[in-house]
Amino acid sequence: MTQHTDNPLAALPIMREVPQQIYPESALYVVATPIGNAGDITLRAINVLSIADAIACEDTRNTAHLLTRYGLSKELIAAHEHNEREVATRLIARLRAGQRIALVSDAGTPAVSDPGARIVDAVREAGLRVLPLPGASAAVSALSASGLVNDHFYFAGFLPSRTKQRESALAALRGMAATLVFYEAPHRITETVDAIAAAFEPTRQIVFARELTKLFEEIHRCTLQDAAAWLAADAHRQKGEYVILVSGAPVANDVDDAEAERILAILLEECSVKQAAALAARITGLKKNALYERALQMKGQ
């Protein structure tokens, strides 16, 4: 039996097209890297990393290991939260000299709950180009597999570590109708979930997305009132990086709107239930059917 060892991707036209695309000099390339599985990198990202004059990265050891997996070796510049402004000055000088610089974080998209935002800001303030290369994102990956149906989401990132500050942050989010997205480290997952459960309604849905794209990936959805028990049921759930999704605040029932009821009460003095509901819908913008049902209740029908 003959085994075919040739890489089928090598024959694809796109493999020839990517290197021929335009990659301007004097530009900072913000490159998304895998959040776990090394296969989750774009062809364009690999090409930019291969032609970059240097790579600014959160941890040079992690990035060196990643580059080795793709057969690459580049000058690496440590760019973490403690030296971003200083590094930005050095990078701007190199960009003005016509170099291409890639910016990466340890995993995912730089400058999103990761170092890089200050560098991007400084480069843009200097009038130089910043080009994003889209790719892996833990937040979007978790949302796509959550099954939470909502057209909106709010990325909250990491909550404050101090109790009072965390409580204040959660209180400010309590009324938000969008799906809430949090990042959390394993050593804080239990206290964070306890804080969320204390701040929000127990019937809200929570999604735990742990170790996304990695060997022990786990995605679990339950109500907030069951969240602590799920975490405690397996010691392994205290390990790995988390994305936590929480369903948004329950949308108030249209027919409970106090102003709508006031308008209905006035209209019902002069109109039929059907007419009152139709007029109230035009005035308030609420659903006519819901207002009709409420009007029937108010008339005792």
Side-chain angles (χ1 to χ4, degrees), residues 1-10:
M1 182 177 178
T2 303
Q3 291 186 333
H4 297 282
T5 57
D6 291 342
N7 184 352
L9 296 178

Side-chain angles (χ1 to χ4, degrees), residues 7-60:
N7 184 352
L9 296 178
L12 294 177
I14 190 65
M15 300 298 287
R16 297 189 295 273
E17 293 175 16
V18 171
Q20 297 171 7
Q21 296 170 3
I22 297 174
Y23 299 94
E25 297 177 346
S26 298
L28 178 72
Y29 292 83
V30 183
V31 182
T33 55
I35 58 176
N37 192 312
D40 293 336
I41 191 167
T42 68
L43 302 177
R44 186 164 166 242
I46 291 176
N47 189 65
V48 164
L49 293 176
S50 72
I51 65 174
D53 294 287
I55 299 173
C57 54
E58 186 176 357
D59 188 311
T60 56

Side-chain angles (χ1 to χ4, degrees), residues 16 33 60 67 74 86 94 123 133 147 158 174 180 226 257 298 300:
R16 297 189 295 273
T33 55
T60 56
L67 293 178
K74 287 287 172 177
E86 173 192 342
R94 296 182 67 154
V123 170
L133 271 68
F158 288 95
R174 180 180 171 86
L180 305 175
D226 296 326
D257 187 283
M298 294 171 68

Side-chain angles (χ1 to χ4, degrees), residues 110-144:
V112 181
S113 277
D114 266 330
R118 291 183 178 87
I119 291 174
V120 170
D121 177 54
V123 170
R124 294 185 65 84
E125 283 292 320
L128 296 162
R129 296 187 69 175
V130 178
L131 303 176
L133 271 68
S137 165
V140 174
S141 297
L143 280 164
S144 72

Side-chain angles (χ1 to χ4, degrees), residues 56-74:
C57 54
E58 186 176 357
D59 188 311
T60 56
R61 294 165 300 179
N62 289 344
T63 300
H65 177 67
L66 183 68
L67 293 178
T68 299
R69 303 189 73 173
Y70 304 128
L72 301 174
S73 178
K74 287 287 172 177

Side-chain angles (χ1 to χ4, degrees), residues 251-265:
V251 178
N253 194 328
D254 288 347
V255 298
D256 289 335
D257 187 283
E259 179 63 10
E261 286 203 5
R262 188 185 71 82
I263 293 170
L264 273 176

